[in-house]
Amino acid sequence: MTATETGKKGYVYIIGAGPGDPELLTVKARRVLLEADVILYDDLVSLELVDQFRGQKIYTGKRKDSHHFEQEEINREIVRHALQGKIVARLKGGDPFVFGRGGEEIDEMRKNGVRYEIIPGITAAYGASAYTEIPLTMRKISSSVAFCTGHPVSSIQVPDADTLVYYMVASTVHDVLDAVAARGRSPETRVAVVQNATRYNQQVFTGTLDEFRRRQRAVYSPALLIIGDNISRFIADNWYSKKRKVLVTGGEEKRYSSRECVTLNVPCRQVEGADLELLRRSFDDIRSYSMLLFQNKFAVKYFFKYLFEGGRDVRHLAHNRICTTGQAAASELQQYGVIPDLTLDSEGCGDIIALFREHGITGESILLPGSNLHDEFLVGGLQSLGNRVTPLCVYRHGAQELEQSIDFDFIDEIFFASPSCVRNFSTMFAAIPVRITVTCADHPTGEEYRKVFG
Ligand code: SAH
């Protein structure tokens, strides 16, 4: 079925999100993201950025604990949403056409008659160049620049350009350096590795080609390798490294001057995003659902919190079949006195769908409490087995998602906006390194901080 056959006017924007700093998004990208019904975003796109838009978010990267999308599946998802008449934003790190597989996605749009446009983004090389003071070209020193890939090893090329920028080098830095040396570049050629360019945890290492070939230092993704004599000796002392890195809770980053500081926004609210109107309706009409499916313990925890707050107790769910995926959700349920009718032990969404098929679960009307980032793949899979599925947002990710990714080594200051920010923060991080300055918005927040962390 193509867009013309369905008569619907879906539209796809393939958008470059820039290299990391959420403010490096173009004005045009921001405008269309504000309009988008669905946002499909990749690994390298920061949650801080995605969180600003209200469209339904679908993560298509490869993070652990979430469904692993293959490119063909992503293509199908984009087309499926577009054919439903939606405005779809396909948000990719950097620029969609620089090692971004944007080309493959537009082929799919064309095949299906879906209208689209492409919005360029700041590619990692431009971000790294500006934020570390490495000009990519320089009069008399470098009059050409080439963007290359370090992965897979068999594709490593060494073009005849003054400045070489290699993407995807985390595991292949030495292969690239050997290839460059083999092409006859001087051992004294300057080299830089830039990790996490334009992010609060940006790091840059420099030296000569020879030094780098002898050094065994791990390189962490995302990283770029830049080679060329335009790299100055002073870049470790770049303008970006001089800024204070402040972790801000409660959306109060405006308190800090952007000339002095880089702020990293940690929302510290897990529940505010619950869809209260839909929650109320779902509880009122709970009998219209034949099954409640809980995928994790947070879904259970917040679902019951709202149930109890509304003056009801577990007897309200007496007519629903209750199903969980995984033991954590099942044990959480037991704390509320509920033994699930069915516990499926599964890893990932593909499995859940297979297990549903095995158990012959079809014709059900399923209420699926979960986060704001509910899994479209799961919803689609259960529907394709002949079930009606209603996702219900009972908590937001935000802070939860950031849990593993904050690197305190790079943080100079933490700002707490309210006592509840302190409490939520403490559920994610047990301690704050003493080196870090802590600032509290007011007296009650300070009290709470001393109580929780003191
Ligand atoms: N389309 C993207 C590139 C995607 S390929 C762009 O235009 O930037 C992924 C590679 O991009 C990573 O392996 C890394 O080499 C590079 N990259 C992306 N973001 C980066 C960042 N913030 N810092 C350093 N390298 C980055």
Side-chain angles (χ1 to χ4, degrees):
M1 204 166 30
T2 67
T4 359
E5 285 159 35
T6 59
K8 290 203 171 154
K9 291 205 178 63
Y11 201 95
V12 175
Y13 292 99
I14 298 180
I15 306 170
D21 179 343
E23 285 194 301
L24 291 179
L25 190 73
T26 64
V27 175
K28 184 166 185 177
R30 188 176 159 71
R31 174 175 61 75
V32 308
L33 280 163
L34 285 168
E35 287 171 10
D37 299 311
V38 187
I39 302 172
L40 294 110
Y41 67 102
D42 271 357
D43 265 328
L44 289 170
V45 177
S46 77
L47 257 161
E48 203 184 345
L49 193 155
V50 176
D51 220 34
Q52 300 170 13
F53 306 103
R54 57 152 191 88
Q56 177 194 348
K57 283 110 187 170
I58 303 175
Y59 170 69
T60 60
K62 302 189 175 66
R63 197 162 43 213
K64 208 161 82 294
D65 304 334
S66 76
H67 175 67
H68 178 135
F69 278 80
E70 296 298 339
Q71 186 65 43
E72 294 73 41
E73 214 178 295
I74 298 173
N75 296 347
R76 275 200 303 277
E77 276 294 287
I78 302 173
V79 169
R80 189 169 73 82
H81 286 285
L83 292 182
Q84 290 171 1
K86 296 182 188 159
I87 302 199
V88 181
R90 170 68 180 128
L91 191 58
K92 302 164 83 71
D95 179 86
F97 281 179
V98 179
F99 303 121
R101 306 187 74 168
E104 293 166 47
E105 290 176 8
I106 56 169
D107 281 349
E108 200 65 18
M109 303 304 122
R110 284 179 171 268
K111 244 193 273 165
N112 288 280
V114 172
R115 295 178 62 214
Y116 60 86
E117 64 185 82
I118 298 147
I119 302 178
I122 293 180
T123 190
Y126 292 159
S129 155
Y131 281 49
T132 59
E133 301 185 34
I134 303 176
L136 292 177
T137 64
M138 213 171 171
R139 209 161 61 86
K140 295 192 182 144
I141 297 175
S142 168
S143 56
S144 56
V145 52
F147 294 168
C148 320
T149 175
H151 184 87
V153 176
S154 57
S155 306
I156 295 173
Q157 295 181 7
V158 185
D160 214 357
D162 294 330
T163 305
L164 302 172
V165 182
Y166 284 91
Y167 287 67
M168 293 176 272
V169 284
S171 57
T172 57
V173 169
H174 282 92
D175 302 292
V176 173
L177 294 169
D178 290 349
V180 170
R183 277 293 294 255
R185 290 290 281 250
S186 146
E188 294 309 307
T189 308
R190 306 281 306 157
V191 172
V193 166
V194 187
Q195 278 170 201
N196 292 306
T198 79
R199 302 170 188 209
Y200 75 99
N201 54 347
Q202 168 175 299
Q203 239 181 336
V204 41
F205 308 107
T206 53
T208 64
L209 180 56
D210 193 40
E211 283 162 3
F212 262 76
R213 289 184 70 203
R214 282 190 277 112
R215 205 188 286 171
Q216 288 295 336
R217 170 182 265 148
V219 171
Y220 297 102
S221 188
L224 288 177
L225 173 67
I226 308 181
I227 299 167
D229 289 325
N230 43 330
I231 299 170
S232 94
R233 262 147 249 272
F234 310 108
I235 62 168
D237 186 32
N238 61 69
W239 64 268
Y240 191 72
S241 71
K242 294 194 184 110
K243 296 204 186 211
R244 231 174 130 64
K245 311 296 186 304
V246 187
L247 192 158
V248 178
T249 66
E252 300 256 355
E253 64 274 17
K254 296 230 159 50
R255 288 174 180 256
Y256 290 87
S257 148
S258 68
R259 273 185 293 277
E260 310 300 328
C261 303
V262 173
T263 53
L264 173 72
N265 208 353
V266 180
C268 269
R269 48 177 155 76
Q270 286 171 10
V271 294
E272 271 172 27
D275 186 343
L276 295 175
E277 179 51 30
L278 190 58
L279 259 165
R280 194 184 53 71
R281 270 190 279 132
S282 308
F283 287 145
D284 287 347
D285 298 332
I286 200 79
R287 282 186 183 226
S288 67
Y289 298 101
S290 55
M291 177 182 276
L292 307 180
L293 172 57
F294 294 100
Q295 273 186 278
N296 61 48
K297 68 172 191 184
F298 293 108
V300 176
K301 182 174 154 192
Y302 290 115
F303 180 86
F304 280 85
K305 168 180 147 49
Y306 288 111
L307 180 76
F308 298 154
E309 282 182 359
R312 291 173 164 124
D313 66 20
V314 293
R315 289 170 301 172
H316 190 63
L317 312 175
H319 299 273
N320 306 103
R321 229 170 131 196
I322 295 185
C323 177
T324 65
T325 57
Q327 286 306 326
S331 338
E332 183 76 19
L333 264 175
Q334 283 173 17
Q335 298 199 15
Y336 300 94
V338 178
I339 299 174
D341 298 288
L342 183 63
T343 297
L344 303 173
D345 263 324
S346 66
E347 285 188 42
C349 296
D351 273 348
I352 300 179
I353 295 157
L355 288 168
F356 264 70
R357 191 178 294 118
E358 248 169 65
H359 283 78
I361 300 175
T362 174
E364 298 272 357
S365 176
I366 304 174
L367 184 65
L368 183 65
S371 78
N372 54 324
L373 306 172
H374 73 255
D375 194 321
E376 268 297 293
F377 181 74
L378 174 65
V379 174
L382 295 177
Q383 279 168 342
S384 70
L385 296 176
N387 299 293
R388 191 159 64 85
V389 183
T390 310
L392 172 67
C393 171
V394 294
Y395 69 96
R396 283 176 65 89
H397 262 294
Q400 274 283 325
E401 286 279 324
L402 287 162
E403 186 170 0
Q404 296 117 345
S405 57
I406 292 178
D407 192 338
F408 284 103
D409 287 349
F410 293 87
I411 302 289
D412 300 305
E413 179 174 341
I414 299 179
F415 175 80
F416 287 115
S418 69
S420 71
C421 285
V422 176
R423 278 194 301 277
N424 282 337
F425 195 86
S426 72
T427 64
M428 296 179 286
F429 308 103
I432 296 173
V434 281
R435 181 188 55 78
I436 296 176
T437 309
V438 172
T439 308
C440 294
D442 51 24
H443 187 66
T445 308
E447 290 284 281
E448 188 68 23
Y449 171 72
R450 278 182 288 281
K451 205 164 90 202
V452 175
F453 289 103

Short mmCIF file of all heavy atoms in Angstrom, two decimals, residues 18-20 44 92-100 122-125 128 166-170 194-199 221-224, ligand 1:
data_model
loop_
_atom_site.label_atom_id
_atom_site.label_comp_id
_atom_site.label_asym_id
_atom_site.label_seq_id
_atom_site.Cartn_x
_atom_site.Cartn_y
_atom_site.Cartn_z
N GLY A 18 22.54 17.15 14.97
CA GLY A 18 23.80 17.74 15.43
C GLY A 18 24.56 16.76 16.31
O GLY A 18 24.07 15.66 16.60
N PRO A 19 25.75 17.17 16.75
CA PRO A 19 26.66 16.22 17.39
C PRO A 19 26.43 15.96 18.88
O PRO A 19 27.03 15.04 19.43
CB PRO A 19 28.02 16.90 17.21
CG PRO A 19 27.71 18.35 17.11
CD PRO A 19 26.35 18.48 16.51
N GLY A 20 25.61 16.73 19.57
CA GLY A 20 25.43 16.44 20.99
C GLY A 20 24.82 17.61 21.74
O GLY A 20 23.75 17.50 22.31
N LEU A 44 22.78 8.40 19.05
CA LEU A 44 23.61 9.56 19.32
C LEU A 44 22.81 10.84 19.56
O LEU A 44 23.36 11.90 19.76
CB LEU A 44 24.60 9.77 18.16
CG LEU A 44 25.70 8.70 18.09
CD1 LEU A 44 26.49 8.82 16.80
CD2 LEU A 44 26.65 8.82 19.28
N LYS A 92 18.40 11.94 13.49
CA LYS A 92 19.65 11.19 13.48
C LYS A 92 20.79 12.05 14.00
O LYS A 92 20.79 13.27 13.83
CB LYS A 92 19.96 10.75 12.04
CG LYS A 92 18.84 9.91 11.46
CD LYS A 92 18.94 9.81 9.96
CE LYS A 92 19.90 8.73 9.57
NZ LYS A 92 19.37 7.39 9.83
N GLY A 93 21.79 11.42 14.59
CA GLY A 93 22.93 12.17 15.10
C GLY A 93 23.68 12.86 13.97
O GLY A 93 23.73 12.35 12.85
N GLY A 94 24.23 14.04 14.25
CA GLY A 94 25.04 14.74 13.24
C GLY A 94 24.22 15.12 12.04
O GLY A 94 23.16 15.74 12.15
N ASP A 95 24.71 14.75 10.87
CA ASP A 95 24.00 15.01 9.62
C ASP A 95 23.53 13.68 9.04
O ASP A 95 24.26 12.70 9.09
CB ASP A 95 24.96 15.70 8.63
CG ASP A 95 24.27 15.98 7.32
OD1 ASP A 95 23.62 17.04 7.22
OD2 ASP A 95 24.33 15.13 6.40
N PRO A 96 22.30 13.66 8.48
CA PRO A 96 21.78 12.37 8.00
C PRO A 96 22.59 11.76 6.85
O PRO A 96 22.54 10.56 6.64
CB PRO A 96 20.37 12.71 7.51
CG PRO A 96 20.08 14.09 7.94
CD PRO A 96 21.34 14.75 8.35
N PHE A 97 23.29 12.62 6.11
CA PHE A 97 23.99 12.11 4.94
C PHE A 97 25.50 11.96 5.14
O PHE A 97 26.24 11.77 4.18
CB PHE A 97 23.73 13.03 3.73
CG PHE A 97 22.38 12.80 3.09
CD1 PHE A 97 21.97 13.56 2.01
CD2 PHE A 97 21.53 11.81 3.55
CE1 PHE A 97 20.75 13.34 1.41
CE2 PHE A 97 20.30 11.58 2.96
CZ PHE A 97 19.90 12.35 1.88
N VAL A 98 25.97 12.09 6.37
CA VAL A 98 27.39 11.81 6.63
C VAL A 98 27.41 10.56 7.51
O VAL A 98 27.07 10.62 8.69
CB VAL A 98 28.09 12.99 7.34
CG1 VAL A 98 29.56 12.63 7.60
CG2 VAL A 98 27.99 14.25 6.50
N PHE A 99 27.75 9.45 6.93
CA PHE A 99 27.74 8.15 7.61
C PHE A 99 26.45 7.95 8.41
O PHE A 99 26.46 7.41 9.50
CB PHE A 99 28.96 8.01 8.54
CG PHE A 99 30.26 8.19 7.81
CD1 PHE A 99 31.16 9.18 8.18
CD2 PHE A 99 30.58 7.38 6.74
CE1 PHE A 99 32.35 9.36 7.49
CE2 PHE A 99 31.78 7.54 6.04
CZ PHE A 99 32.66 8.54 6.41
N GLY A 100 25.34 8.38 7.82
CA GLY A 100 24.09 8.35 8.58
C GLY A 100 23.02 7.45 8.00
O GLY A 100 21.92 7.38 8.53
N ILE A 122 24.51 19.51 11.93
CA ILE A 122 25.94 19.76 12.08
C ILE A 122 26.61 18.42 12.30
O ILE A 122 26.31 17.72 13.27
CB ILE A 122 26.19 20.70 13.26
CG1 ILE A 122 25.61 22.07 12.92
CG2 ILE A 122 27.68 20.78 13.59
CD1 ILE A 122 25.77 23.10 13.99
N THR A 123 27.47 18.04 11.39
CA THR A 123 28.11 16.74 11.50
C THR A 123 29.17 16.77 12.62
O THR A 123 29.66 17.85 13.00
CB THR A 123 28.72 16.33 10.15
OG1 THR A 123 29.14 14.97 10.22
CG2 THR A 123 29.89 17.21 9.76
N ALA A 124 29.51 15.59 13.15
CA ALA A 124 30.44 15.51 14.29
C ALA A 124 31.75 16.24 14.00
O ALA A 124 32.32 16.89 14.89
CB ALA A 124 30.70 14.05 14.64
N ALA A 125 32.23 16.16 12.77
CA ALA A 125 33.51 16.80 12.44
C ALA A 125 33.43 18.31 12.65
O ALA A 125 34.38 18.93 13.16
CB ALA A 125 33.89 16.50 11.00
N ALA A 128 33.22 18.94 16.52
CA ALA A 128 34.52 18.71 17.17
C ALA A 128 35.49 19.82 16.80
O ALA A 128 36.24 20.33 17.63
CB ALA A 128 35.07 17.36 16.75
N TYR A 166 38.45 10.93 10.73
CA TYR A 166 37.91 9.57 10.73
C TYR A 166 36.79 9.44 11.73
O TYR A 166 36.94 9.76 12.91
CB TYR A 166 39.01 8.55 11.06
CG TYR A 166 39.92 8.31 9.89
CD1 TYR A 166 41.08 9.07 9.73
CD2 TYR A 166 39.62 7.34 8.94
CE1 TYR A 166 41.91 8.86 8.64
CE2 TYR A 166 40.45 7.13 7.85
CZ TYR A 166 41.59 7.89 7.70
OH TYR A 166 42.40 7.69 6.63
N TYR A 167 35.63 8.95 11.24
CA TYR A 167 34.47 8.62 12.08
C TYR A 167 34.57 7.14 12.45
O TYR A 167 35.22 6.36 11.75
CB TYR A 167 33.17 8.82 11.29
CG TYR A 167 32.77 10.27 11.06
CD1 TYR A 167 33.51 11.09 10.24
CD2 TYR A 167 31.62 10.79 11.65
CE1 TYR A 167 33.12 12.41 10.00
CE2 TYR A 167 31.22 12.11 11.42
CZ TYR A 167 31.98 12.91 10.59
OH TYR A 167 31.60 14.20 10.38
N MET A 168 33.85 6.77 13.48
CA MET A 168 33.72 5.35 13.89
C MET A 168 35.07 4.68 14.10
O MET A 168 35.38 3.67 13.47
CB MET A 168 32.90 4.57 12.85
CG MET A 168 31.46 5.03 12.82
SD MET A 168 30.50 4.22 11.55
CE MET A 168 30.77 5.29 10.16
N VAL A 169 35.89 5.24 14.99
CA VAL A 169 37.24 4.73 15.18
C VAL A 169 37.47 4.09 16.54
O VAL A 169 38.59 3.66 16.83
CB VAL A 169 38.29 5.86 15.04
CG1 VAL A 169 38.49 6.22 13.60
CG2 VAL A 169 37.90 7.06 15.87
N ALA A 170 36.41 4.00 17.38
CA ALA A 170 36.65 3.59 18.76
C ALA A 170 37.47 2.30 18.85
O ALA A 170 38.33 2.18 19.72
CB ALA A 170 35.33 3.46 19.51
N VAL A 194 39.01 13.14 19.56
CA VAL A 194 38.00 13.94 20.27
C VAL A 194 36.83 13.03 20.63
O VAL A 194 36.16 12.49 19.76
CB VAL A 194 37.48 15.11 19.40
CG1 VAL A 194 36.56 16.00 20.23
CG2 VAL A 194 38.62 15.90 18.80
N GLN A 195 36.62 12.85 21.94
CA GLN A 195 35.51 12.03 22.42
C GLN A 195 34.37 12.93 22.86
O GLN A 195 34.60 13.98 23.46
CB GLN A 195 35.96 11.23 23.65
CG GLN A 195 36.70 9.98 23.31
CD GLN A 195 37.36 9.33 24.52
OE1 GLN A 195 38.29 8.56 24.34
NE2 GLN A 195 36.91 9.61 25.72
N ASN A 196 33.16 12.51 22.60
CA ASN A 196 31.97 13.24 23.06
C ASN A 196 32.00 14.71 22.70
O ASN A 196 31.68 15.58 23.53
CB ASN A 196 31.80 13.09 24.58
CG ASN A 196 31.45 11.68 24.96
OD1 ASN A 196 30.48 11.12 24.44
ND2 ASN A 196 32.24 11.08 25.82
N ALA A 197 32.37 15.01 21.49
CA ALA A 197 32.46 16.40 21.05
C ALA A 197 31.17 17.15 21.30
O ALA A 197 30.08 16.61 21.10
CB ALA A 197 32.78 16.43 19.55
N THR A 198 31.28 18.36 21.78
CA THR A 198 30.19 19.31 22.07
C THR A 198 29.31 18.91 23.26
O THR A 198 28.29 19.54 23.51
CB THR A 198 29.26 19.61 20.86
OG1 THR A 198 28.33 18.53 20.70
CG2 THR A 198 30.03 19.83 19.57
N ARG A 199 29.67 17.83 23.95
CA ARG A 199 28.91 17.45 25.15
C ARG A 199 29.67 17.86 26.40
O ARG A 199 30.87 18.10 26.32
CB ARG A 199 28.72 15.94 25.21
CG ARG A 199 28.01 15.45 23.97
CD ARG A 199 28.02 13.96 23.89
NE ARG A 199 27.48 13.62 22.60
CZ ARG A 199 26.82 12.52 22.31
NH1 ARG A 199 26.65 11.61 23.23
NH2 ARG A 199 26.36 12.31 21.11
N SER A 221 33.63 5.50 22.46
CA SER A 221 32.69 6.00 21.46
C SER A 221 31.69 6.95 22.13
O SER A 221 31.33 6.72 23.29
CB SER A 221 31.95 4.80 20.88
OG SER A 221 31.18 5.21 19.80
N PRO A 222 31.22 8.00 21.45
CA PRO A 222 31.58 8.39 20.10
C PRO A 222 32.88 9.20 20.07
O PRO A 222 33.09 10.07 20.90
CB PRO A 222 30.40 9.27 19.66
CG PRO A 222 29.90 9.89 20.93
CD PRO A 222 30.17 8.87 22.01
N ALA A 223 33.71 8.87 19.11
CA ALA A 223 34.99 9.59 19.01
C ALA A 223 35.39 9.79 17.56
O ALA A 223 35.05 8.98 16.69
CB ALA A 223 36.07 8.80 19.74
N LEU A 224 36.09 10.86 17.35
CA LEU A 224 36.65 11.15 16.02
C LEU A 224 38.16 11.19 16.13
O LEU A 224 38.71 11.60 17.15
CB LEU A 224 36.22 12.55 15.55
CG LEU A 224 34.78 12.80 15.14
CD1 LEU A 224 34.64 14.28 14.79
CD2 LEU A 224 34.38 11.94 13.95
N1 SAH B 1 25.74 11.15 10.98
C1 SAH B 1 26.71 11.34 12.03
C2 SAH B 1 27.73 10.24 12.07
C3 SAH B 1 27.15 8.90 12.43
S1 SAH B 1 28.38 7.65 12.48
C4 SAH B 1 27.36 12.71 11.87
O1 SAH B 1 27.16 13.36 10.85
O2 SAH B 1 28.08 13.13 12.77
C5 SAH B 1 28.78 7.62 14.18
C6 SAH B 1 30.13 8.21 14.41
O3 SAH B 1 30.06 9.63 14.40
C7 SAH B 1 30.75 7.89 15.76
O4 SAH B 1 31.34 6.61 15.75
C8 SAH B 1 31.76 8.98 15.90
O5 SAH B 1 32.90 8.72 15.15
C9 SAH B 1 31.04 10.16 15.25
N2 SAH B 1 30.40 11.02 16.25
C10 SAH B 1 29.10 11.31 16.36
N3 SAH B 1 28.87 12.17 17.38
C11 SAH B 1 30.08 12.43 17.92
C12 SAH B 1 30.54 13.24 19.00
N4 SAH B 1 29.69 13.97 19.75
N5 SAH B 1 31.86 13.25 19.28
C13 SAH B 1 32.73 12.54 18.56
N6 SAH B 1 32.36 11.75 17.52
C14 SAH B 1 31.07 11.70 17.21
#
